[in-house]
Amino acid sequence: MANSPIARGSGAALGPKTSGIAITPHASTTFTPTRGIVCSGAGTVAVRFADDSADVSLTLAASVVYDIAIIAVRVTGTTATGIVALY
């Protein structure tokens, strides 16, 4: 399991997101588990959820905030653009 900067039982996990970082899809790079993601261009994203050991493909609509904890966005299988990690 990845180490989340916010404990699951913490009240901070329920509050608003306070920062965002642009994500560049990569074949192997991982990052701190997100509190959510959003994209400016609809499409698919190949992601690794924080508690999983395999990548999955999701279809995302533009400008929708998805409250998911992911640790990677893979270049292969990702067509969505303008992906931002929310913390």
Side-chain angles (χ1 to χ4, degrees):
M1 176 187 303
N3 292 324
S4 174
I6 298 174
R8 288 184 184 183
S10 167
L14 302 176
K17 279 63 166 173
T18 59
S19 67
I21 299 171
I23 295 176
T24 300
H26 191 274
S28 60
T29 297
T30 61
F31 41 81
T32 302
T34 65
R35 293 187 53 216
I37 62 170
V38 64
C39 63
S40 60
T44 59
V45 289
V47 302
R48 172 81 47 98
F49 281 95
D51 289 346
D52 290 343
S53 59
D55 298 338
V56 297
S57 182
L58 305 172
T59 302
L60 304 182
S63 302
V64 175
V65 174
Y66 293 90
D67 291 323
I68 57 176
I70 61 169
I71 59 168
V73 175
R74 304 301 186 201
V75 66
T76 301
T78 296
T79 61
T81 58
I83 304 166
V84 175
L86 304 172
Y87 294 95

